[in-house]
Amino acid sequence: MAVPVQYRISGGGAEAIAASVEEGIAAGALAPGAALPAIRELAQQLGVNPNTVAAAYRLLRDRGAVESAGRRGTRVRDRPATTPRSLRGLAVPPGVRDLSTGNPNPALLPAISVAPGPVVLYGDPPITPALAELAAAELAADGVPADHLAATSGALDGIERVLAAHLRPGDRVAVEDPGWPNLIDLLAALGLVPEPVGVDDDGPLPADLARALGRGVRAVVVTSRAQNPTGAAVSADRADDLRALLDGSDVLLIEDDHCAAIAGVPLHTLAGVSRHWAFIRSAAKAYGPDLRLAVLAGDQRTVERVAGRLRLGPGWVSHLLQNLTVGLWRDPAVARQVADAESAYGAARAGLCAALAARDVVAHGRSGLNVWVPVPDEAVAMTALFAAGWAAAPGARFRIRCAPGLRVTIAELAPADIDPLADAVAAAVRGPGRSSV
Ligand SMILES: Cc1ncc(COP(=O)(O)O)c(C=O)c1O
C-alpha cells in the first residue's frame, strides 16, 4: 500500500530532483512503496516546468529506483538499489526461527583455506587453463556446449553482463513469475521490462513463454533447477517443449544454474538452442556464497562480449578464487561433503512437502533450498507463522502477477523441526477462525 510522502524533495533541474529523491530513499525517508507527488504538484512546489519533474521521474525509473503504478502515479520500488540493506530484509522478532533467507546451511559448506598460487600479472589469461578445462568437462558432461567460457563474479554478475552485452533500455525480458527478486530488481536498474512467465514444478510454462515471445521479448532467463522461490526444475519433457519454442530464434537465452551440485535433480539444459545464449553455473550455493565465482558458457559472440567488457572493468576474476574453486572441485573429500549436503537438503525439502501434503496443504519444492507454499493472504499467514515462532519470506518480493505464497528456506531444518513447522504452516495457510485439522 502506497504511503503519503513526508520527505521534502528539492532541486531545480531533473538531475538534482532525481538525486534528492535518491537521497530520501537512501536515508529511509522515502520508504519502499511510498508514492511520489504528482508531477504537476511537485513542479508547482519547486517552481519548475512539469517536463523537468517528468524527466526526473524518468531518470529514477531508468535507474530502477521508482516504478509507474498506473493511475496511482509513481512510487518507490519495493527494493530500489539505493535502499539500505537494513531496510530491505525482514524484521524477524527475537526468538523466531528465520526461514526467510534463502541461504545454504553454513554447517554444510566445506571449509575454505587459500593456498599460495603462482604469481599472476596483467596480461595473463582471464580464465585459468585449469578452471577452463574442468568447467568444460563438467558442462559438456551435462550437455552444455562449452567451447567458449568466461569466469564471472557469481551468477547474477554473469546475467547482468550478458544482458548488458545484448539488450538496451526498454527491451523486454521474459522472467519466471514468481522469480528471484534480485533479477527483477536488476532488470529495473538496467531499464529492462520484465515479461512474466508462469512456472510449475517442471519449469517455465510453454504457453506463457510463447506469449512472451509473441510480445517481442529480446531475452529469456530460465532457472535450470532450484528455481527461486518454487524449487521448480526444468524436466526433460519441458526442456523439449521450451527448446521447440526457442529453436533457431534470435532471442537471447540465459540459463541460471545457481544451485549446481546441491540442486538434488539432474540438469536438462536448453543451452545452444538459440543463436545467442549463456549458461551460467555458480559455485555459491554448494561451496559458499562468499565464493564469488561462476563459469559462463555461451556462443562465441556472447562470451567475447562478456569477456571484453570485463576486461574494461575489473579485468578478470581473481585467479586466487579460480584456483580455490578448482581445488574444491577436484577434492574427493569436498565432493563427499557436497553430496551429503545435497542429500540433507533433499531430505528436508521432501520431508516438509510430505508433512504439508499430509495436512492437505499444497507445497512446491522439487529441488534446491526452498519450498513455496501458496497462501490466500501473505500478511495473515506471516503473522500467524511469527506467532508460532517461524519466519518465512513473503511472496510479494518474488511475484509479478502470480498468486500469493510464502517461501520457506529448508536449509537448516532438522528432522525434529518438520512436524512443528508443518503444523504452523498449515494453520497459517488456513488463516484465523478455522480448524487446523
Ligand atoms: C535464482 C538465483 N540465481 C542466482 C543466485 C545467486 O547466485 P550468485 O551468488 O552466484 O550470484 C541466487 C541466490 O539465491 C538465485 O536464487
Side-chain angles (χ1 to χ4, degrees):
M1 188 61 196
V3 292
V5 169
Q6 308 288 327
Y7 175 75
R8 230 187 142 67
I9 300 169
S10 60
E15 265 300 349
I17 296 168
S20 163
V21 170
E22 284 176 318
E23 267 168 42
I25 294 172
L30 287 175
L36 296 190
I39 289 178
R40 285 190 178 281
E41 186 190 318
L42 183 59
Q44 200 172 26
Q45 193 185 311
L46 297 175
V48 300
N49 191 299
N51 289 338
T52 307
V53 175
Y57 283 9
R58 242 188 337 270
L59 282 172
L60 290 163
R61 241 189 330 271
D62 290 348
R63 290 175 194 157
V66 306
E67 63 194 352
S68 301
R71 293 175 59 194
R72 284 176 296 134
T74 301
R75 56 177 196 165
V76 178
R77 281 180 55 79
D78 277 344
R79 303 195 330 152
T82 40
T83 295
R85 214 159 244 289
S86 57
L87 294 178
R88 292 172 148 226
L90 192 66
V92 176
V96 168
R97 275 279 296 280
D98 188 0
L99 307 181
S100 74
T101 69
N103 265 315
N105 183 343
L108 299 180
L109 296 174
I112 291 182
S113 59
V114 183
V119 172
V120 179
L121 297 173
Y122 295 112
D124 280 341
I127 183 163
T128 69
L131 179 62
E133 193 186 315
L134 205 55
E138 279 210 4
L139 292 176
D142 273 346
V144 179
D147 304 321
H148 308 285
L149 289 173
T152 61
S153 299
L156 191 59
D157 180 48
I159 293 173
E160 174 172 9
R161 289 177 186 285
V162 174
L163 288 170
H166 281 283
L167 271 59
R168 306 163 61 146
D171 284 344
R172 294 183 171 279
V173 180
V175 292
E176 294 143 346
D177 179 23
W180 189 34
N182 290 23
L183 174 61
I184 300 170
D185 293 342
L186 174 66
L187 295 187
L190 293 173
L192 302 171
V193 182
E195 187 65 37
V197 170
V199 193
D200 66 12
D201 291 333
D202 292 329
L205 299 172
D208 282 16
L209 179 59
R211 187 187 34 76
L213 292 170
R215 287 174 56 85
V217 294
R218 298 287 318 279
V220 177
V221 184
V222 173
T223 312
S224 316
R225 42 194 177 173
Q227 200 268 349
N228 188 357
T230 67
V234 177
S235 63
D237 285 350
R238 182 61 54 83
D240 286 346
D241 293 345
L242 297 173
R243 263 195 226 109
L245 288 169
L246 293 166
D247 196 8
S249 86
D250 272 331
V251 170
L252 170 68
L253 168 68
I254 302 176
E255 271 181 287
D256 176 359
D257 193 22
H258 71 107
C259 219
I262 53 155
V265 290
L267 178 75
H268 297 289
T269 183
L270 313 175
V273 71
S274 54
R275 270 188 280 283
H276 302 300
W277 62 277
F279 178 97
I280 307 168
R281 176 166 288 178
S282 173
K285 294 288 159 35
Y287 302 95
D290 191 39
L291 199 55
R292 298 279 77 220
L293 186 89
V295 286
L296 183 152
D299 63 285
Q300 184 170 0
R301 174 136 29 116
T302 298
V303 174
E304 278 174 2
R305 285 183 184 175
V306 167
R309 187 61 187 83
L310 194 65
R311 208 163 33 242
L312 297 176
W316 66 93
V317 174
S318 169
H319 285 202
L320 285 171
L321 269 185
Q322 297 191 40
N323 293 337
L324 188 58
T325 306
V326 168
L328 291 167
W329 278 359
R330 281 192 181 142
D331 185 335
V334 172
R336 276 194 300 277
Q337 238 180 312
V338 171
D340 288 347
E342 185 175 38
S343 306
Y345 294 140
R349 246 183 8 252
L352 181 58
C353 287
L356 289 171
R359 289 159 177 81
D360 288 329
V361 173
V362 174
H364 302 270
R366 183 171 288 177
S367 64
L369 301 177
N370 300 301
V371 165
W372 174 253
V373 185
V375 298
D377 184 312
E378 288 171 12
V380 168
M382 289 285 295
T383 308
L385 263 190
F386 269 167
W390 304 92
R397 296 177 187 179
F398 303 85
R399 298 189 283 114
I400 302 174
R401 281 192 206 141
C402 77
L406 298 181
R407 188 194 71 174
V408 180
T409 298
I410 53 78
E412 298 196 42
L413 291 180
D417 294 326
I418 299 288
D419 276 325
L421 174 60
D423 283 339
V425 172
V429 169
R430 291 193 181 100
R434 296 210 218 146
S435 115
S436 58
V437 186

